């Protein structure tokens, strides 16, 4: 579904992503794990079109994305739930969700709203509330729900567990598992390697802009180097 | 009676300021820039209407519509040519460019239409007498207030109910996230300039109908006052622009009537300074701490 081939991303003179290649197949949950500053978010931002790679190529559903602006990529079926949630704090919960369906025809909005409210009953209770008044966990649910409003073929989640209490992290990962069971393809970026690998079919380990290890979730959980670096020995 | 007269004059003048201030505040909300050329778009609008009515003998309604169309296009062209290339530039560069555009418009007007002041024929004449010999309201004043109310209601419905309007609010909060929703941020900014400039044209015609002198610098002072009104009410806030505009108009009129005609601007700005000392974000603005 998504094929990233040898991308190099620069911030000015800084070479942030050095020849990264990976792929995500339909129905899979794939995770990119790595420490702070390894380049995880940079990769997602490049895939979704907010940043651009100098070389290499990105193919989504068999079509090259090179240079397509971010708002056009959404139309092709990619949803990106960005780091730090970035929900619209001054808009209501329902307006946030409507924005998630911006590229969708009017007729799909109501069924999609129903679907998202089914998955996140909490959001339904608070649909008229201003998003800024939600708790951190609710905001993350809203960000994910907003991503799902465009019925994406690929859902990219950037650190959904960031800043959440352990019990909420569990909840968020339960939701990811449920979405996976329903067949949603997910690219998950996480610092919480343990959790990420436990839900992922496959994973890639990123270190200072390079992929240093890859394998199934279980393989990486057992991998000595990964254990040492990310799982506390 | 003179007190009531002053209130009426203040509110109608304030309505015009509010319409102009809306342009400032919307553009600031979305593009995070102060468009100092906004006042000069007012002047262009007034000239277009002046020539449409004077040289081509078109009815006032057509004159106003022409002014709105010309300014809408002008606003979009200015944004495309002058501001869009600077989207990633520091805000000071954009600010200086805006001042440059302001001078460009003033000087172009001088070359095209001459520096001499022209007498603007009001789009509506006459007045409504409330108390014979003592209290009357000009139709222009009534029209200004009506326009202001219609514009405010229209904009509130637009930003609150329509998909486009909601997208505008999303852009004003977080352009990156808006893009991730599939919103074309550049098109949204362009549309904001279009709406702001259309309002400027309307305000220009109303302004010159109430105070019928027209010259290439006609727009600059009302522009600055309306900018003050926008800051006064809380820049970025639509109801703030209305409140700021009306208050500014009333304060200016009262300052002229009861303090001194020469000092009216000083009074206006003194009030602004006091308000900003007490409420730095303006009357209806939200104080948003800068994230570091």
């Amino acid at each position: 579904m998504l094929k990233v081939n040898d991308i190099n991303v620069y911030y000015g003179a800084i070479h942030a992503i050095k020849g990264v290649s990976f792929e995500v197949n339909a129905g899979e949950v794939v995770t990119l794990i790595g420490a702070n500053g390894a380049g995880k978010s940079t990769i997602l931002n490049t895939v979704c079109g907010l940043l651009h790679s100098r070389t290499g190529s990105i193919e989504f559903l068999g079509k090259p994305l090179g240079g397509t602006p971010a708002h056009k990529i959404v139309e092709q079926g990619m949803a990106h739930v960005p780091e730090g949630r970035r929900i619209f704090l001054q808009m209501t919960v329902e307006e946030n969700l409507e924005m998630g369906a911006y590229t969708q025809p009017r007729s799909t909005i109501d069924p999609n709203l129903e679907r998202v409210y089914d998955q996140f009953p909490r959001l339904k209770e608070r649909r008229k509330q201003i998003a800024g008044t939600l708790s951190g966990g609710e905001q993350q649910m809203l960000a994910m729900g907003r991503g799902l409003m465009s019925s994406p073929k690929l859902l990219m989640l950037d650190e959904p567990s960031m800043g959440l209490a352990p019990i909420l992290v569990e909840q968020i990962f339960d939701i990811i598992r449920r979405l996976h069971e329903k067949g949603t393809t997910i690219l998950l970026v996480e610092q919480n390697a343990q959790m990420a690998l436990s839900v992922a079919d496959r994973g890639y380990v990123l270190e200072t802009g390079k992929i240093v290890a890859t394998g199934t979730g279980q393989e990486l959980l057992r991998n000595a180097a990964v254990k040492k670096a990310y799982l506390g020995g | 009676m003179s007190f009531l007269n002053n209130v009426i004059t203040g509110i109608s003048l304030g309505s015009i300021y509010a319409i102009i201030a809306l342009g400032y505040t919307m553009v600031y909300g979305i593009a995070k820039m102060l468009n100092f050329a906004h006042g000069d778009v007012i002047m262009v609008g007034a000239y277009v209407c002046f020539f449409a009515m004077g040289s081509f003998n078109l009815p006032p309604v057509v004159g106003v519509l022409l002014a709105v169309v010309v300014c809408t296009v002008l606003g979009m062209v200015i944004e495309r040519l002058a501001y869009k290339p600077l989207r990633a530039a520091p805000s000071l560069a954009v600010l200086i460019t805006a001042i440059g555009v302001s001078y460009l418009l003033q000087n172009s007007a001088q070359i095209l239409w001459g520096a001499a002041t022209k007498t603007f024929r009001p789009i509506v004449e006459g007045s409504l007498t409330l108390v014979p010999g003592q209290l009357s309201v000009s139709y222009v004043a009534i029209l200004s207030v009506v326009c202001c109310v219609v514009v405010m209601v229209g904009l509130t419905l637009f930003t609150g109910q329509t998909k486009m309007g909601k997208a505008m609010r999303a852009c004003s909060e977080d352009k990156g996230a808006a893009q991730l929703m599939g919103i074309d941020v550049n098109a949204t900014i362009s549309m904001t300039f279009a709406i702001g400039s259309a309002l400027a044209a309307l305000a220009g015609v109303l302004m010159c109908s109430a105070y019928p002198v027209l010259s290439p610098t006609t727009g600059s002072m009302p522009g600055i006052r309306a900018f003050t009104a926008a800051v006064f009410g809380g820049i970025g806030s639509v109801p703030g622009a209305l409140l700021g505009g009306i208050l500014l108009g009333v304060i200016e009129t009262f300052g002229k009537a009861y303090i001194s005609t020469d000092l009216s601007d000083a009074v206006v700005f003194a009030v602004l300074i006091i308000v900003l000392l007490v409420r730095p974000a303006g009357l209806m603005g939200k104080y948003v701490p800068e994230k570091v």
Side-chain angles (χ1 to χ4, degrees):
Chain A
M1 173 171 287
L2 177 72
K3 228 184 208 152
V4 174
N5 187 23
D6 191 31
I7 54 168
N8 284 280
V9 184
Y10 294 76
Y11 288 112
I14 298 163
H15 194 174
I17 300 298
K18 300 159 188 156
V20 164
S21 303
F22 65 93
E23 57 181 28
V24 181
N25 301 314
E28 272 187 322
V29 173
V30 172
T31 181
L32 300 177
I33 57 174
N36 237 341
K40 305 180 300 287
S41 299
T42 307
I43 292 178
L44 284 201
N45 285 336
T46 310
V47 171
C48 78
L50 287 179
L51 295 172
H52 294 285
S53 168
R54 272 197 207 168
T55 58
S57 64
I58 301 172
E59 245 179 56
F60 181 56
L61 300 168
K63 270 189 282 177
L65 289 183
T68 315
H71 67 269
K72 293 268 183 213
I73 294 180
V74 183
E75 286 170 25
Q76 298 180 20
M78 188 188 290
H80 179 182
V81 180
E83 186 179 4
R85 314 188 255 273
R86 308 262 298 261
I87 55 169
F88 302 113
L89 296 169
Q90 291 168 34
M91 300 172 82
T92 65
V93 168
E94 193 148 302
E95 283 174 339
N96 266 277
L97 294 173
E98 282 171 26
M99 286 295 106
Y102 186 78
T103 55
Q104 301 300 302
R106 249 213 130 71
S107 57
T108 65
I109 292 184
D110 283 334
N112 276 349
L113 267 179
E114 276 316 305
R115 218 162 34 95
V116 168
Y117 284 148
D118 263 1
Q119 259 152 15
F120 305 97
R122 225 13 189 316
L123 296 182
K124 189 169 191 176
E125 285 166 34
R126 317 208 159 209
R127 48 202 259 239
K128 295 286 167 217
Q129 213 167 306
I130 299 292
T133 63
L134 298 181
S135 73
E138 289 165 347
Q139 290 191 4
Q140 184 60 49
M141 287 177 198
L142 177 57
M144 289 171 72
R146 190 178 67 173
L148 290 168
M149 282 298 289
S150 60
S151 320
K153 300 190 177 76
L154 173 67
L155 180 68
M156 303 201 292
L157 301 171
D158 196 344
E159 304 234 11
S161 76
M162 193 171 70
L164 296 184
I167 182 151
L168 289 171
V169 175
E170 290 283 351
Q171 272 184 31
I172 295 291
F173 277 92
D174 277 344
I175 292 162
I176 294 174
R177 266 188 214 105
R178 278 212 310 271
L179 291 172
H180 182 28
E181 279 160 19
K182 286 189 183 143
T184 315
T185 311
I186 297 174
L187 175 58
L188 171 67
V189 156
E190 260 299 336
Q191 275 196 64
N192 189 336
Q194 180 93 51
M195 290 298 271
L197 289 173
S198 71
V199 297
D201 296 308
R202 292 188 301 113
Y204 295 86
V205 181
L206 213 63
E207 235 167 62
T208 56
K210 275 192 218 133
I211 287 176
V212 294
T214 171
T216 66
Q218 293 307 313
E219 276 165 16
L220 288 175
L221 274 174
R222 286 192 301 268
N223 180 313
V226 175
K227 256 189 187 166
K228 192 158 174 287
Y230 305 107
L231 305 174
Chain B
M1 282 302 156
S2 77
F3 176 80
L4 267 183
N5 255 324
N6 286 328
V7 172
I8 291 165
T9 311
I11 289 176
S12 68
L13 177 63
S15 301
I16 298 172
Y17 287 155
I19 297 172
I20 309 172
L22 277 171
Y24 269 111
T25 231
M26 286 176 69
V27 165
Y28 179 82
I30 307 274
K32 298 287 173 281
M33 66 160 291
L34 296 172
N35 179 19
F36 275 118
H38 191 61
D40 302 292
V41 177
I42 299 171
M43 172 270 297
V44 174
Y47 269 104
V48 171
C49 186
F50 175 83
F51 285 114
M53 284 165 61
S55 310
F56 299 97
N57 272 320
L58 295 168
V61 181
V62 180
V64 176
L65 283 178
L66 261 179
V68 167
V69 170
V70 170
C71 287
T72 305
V73 174
L74 179 68
M76 289 166 81
V77 169
I78 291 172
E79 194 276 329
R80 179 71 191 79
L81 296 182
Y83 305 143
K84 195 182 170 201
L86 297 173
R87 201 68 36 92
S91 54
L92 195 59
V94 186
L95 188 72
I96 294 168
T97 306
I99 295 172
V101 172
S102 163
Y103 279 117
L104 177 73
L105 289 178
Q106 284 181 24
N107 291 336
S108 307
Q110 210 169 73
I111 294 169
L112 281 173
W113 304 314
T117 50
K118 295 183 162 48
T119 308
F120 193 91
R121 183 157 63 82
I123 49 170
V124 280
E125 281 163 300
S127 56
L128 181 70
T129 308
L130 295 174
V131 181
Q134 292 189 58
L135 187 61
S136 66
V137 191
S138 71
Y139 289 127
V140 172
I142 297 172
L143 185 64
S144 301
V145 176
V146 170
C147 284
C148 180
V149 170
V150 169
V151 163
M152 279 303 299
V153 171
L155 270 183
T156 308
L157 288 176
F158 175 70
T159 55
Q161 307 296 328
T162 68
K163 186 173 164 181
M164 271 296 223
K166 287 178 191 175
M168 264 171 78
R169 279 160 61 209
C171 281
S172 84
E173 266 203 62
D174 187 336
K175 285 195 200 57
Q179 261 179 299
L180 293 180
M181 302 298 109
I183 297 169
D184 185 342
V185 172
N186 281 327
T188 310
I189 293 177
S190 181
M191 192 181 64
T192 311
F193 271 86
I195 296 175
S197 305
L199 295 182
L202 177 66
V205 173
L206 291 171
M207 184 102 221
C208 287
S209 295
Y211 305 89
V213 278
L214 178 58
S215 79
T217 54
T218 290
S220 68
M221 209 47 212
I224 289 173
R225 291 205 194 100
F227 165 65
T228 311
V231 174
F232 197 30
I235 192 138
S237 153
V238 169
L242 173 71
L243 183 68
I246 301 281
L247 279 177
L248 202 81
V250 172
I251 293 168
E252 185 186 321
T253 311
F254 275 60
K256 270 184 187 147
Y258 299 114
I259 301 174
S260 149
T261 317
D262 296 331
L263 283 180
S264 74
D265 280 334
V267 173
V268 164
F269 288 104
V271 173
L272 173 73
I273 291 169
I274 293 165
V275 168
L276 291 187
L277 281 175
V278 182
R279 285 190 61 93
L283 291 172
M284 303 193 70
K286 287 193 197 85
Y287 173 67
V288 184
E290 205 156 302
K291 270 192 200 153
V292 283

